[in-house]
Amino acid sequence: MTIELSTEAKAHLDRLRNARDQIKHYKEIEDAEKAALQLELGDAHDEATVNGEIVVTWKYIKSNRVNQKVLKESFPDVAALCINVSESRRFEVKP
């Protein structure tokens, strides 16, 4: 079902789009600065200091995850028992 936005809602939409543009701009800055710091740390270091205080950490993290493709191929009955269907709504703003 589709509705036409009110004048007030259109103003909200404009502010939302503006905020997202600003977030995108600052995200680009964040990504560039993060990459520069990671380059400085390199593969050999996992912490950096300023005046002796640790200000950046970059550590390896291991995680264990179930490979769903292998599970479904090897044990389809078990995989079917483990499936949990959830429902949600996705909010999207068109550019």
Side-chain angles (χ1 to χ4, degrees):
M1 183 183 292
T2 303
I3 65 166
E4 183 70 25
L5 291 179
S6 66
T7 302
E8 183 179 344
K10 287 177 191 174
H12 289 296
L13 177 61
D14 290 341
R15 287 191 296 272
L16 176 61
R17 285 178 171 159
N18 183 44
R20 288 186 173 176
D21 287 344
Q22 289 181 33
I23 289 169
K24 181 181 176 186
H25 171 72
Y26 285 107
K27 179 67 175 148
E28 289 170 358
I29 293 171
E30 177 188 23
D31 291 346
E33 301 307 330
K34 180 179 173 181
L37 289 167
Q38 289 173 336
L39 185 62
E40 176 80 11
L41 285 164
D43 291 332
H45 306 284
D46 58 4
E47 293 180 343
T49 62
V50 172
N51 298 325
E53 179 182 348
I54 296 173
V55 294
V56 175
T57 62
W58 192 25
K59 299 182 180 186
Y60 290 99
I61 298 171
K62 290 184 181 182
S63 62
N64 295 314
R65 298 183 185 174
V66 173
N67 184 326
Q68 292 186 29
K69 182 179 178 184
V70 171
L71 177 62
K72 288 176 184 177
E73 289 173 358
S74 301
F75 305 100
D77 295 339
V78 174
L81 290 172
C82 297
I83 293 175
N84 183 24
V85 177
S86 64
E87 185 176 323
S88 63
R89 292 176 73 180
R90 178 179 295 166
F91 182 79
E92 291 185 39
V93 175
K94 305 297 181 188

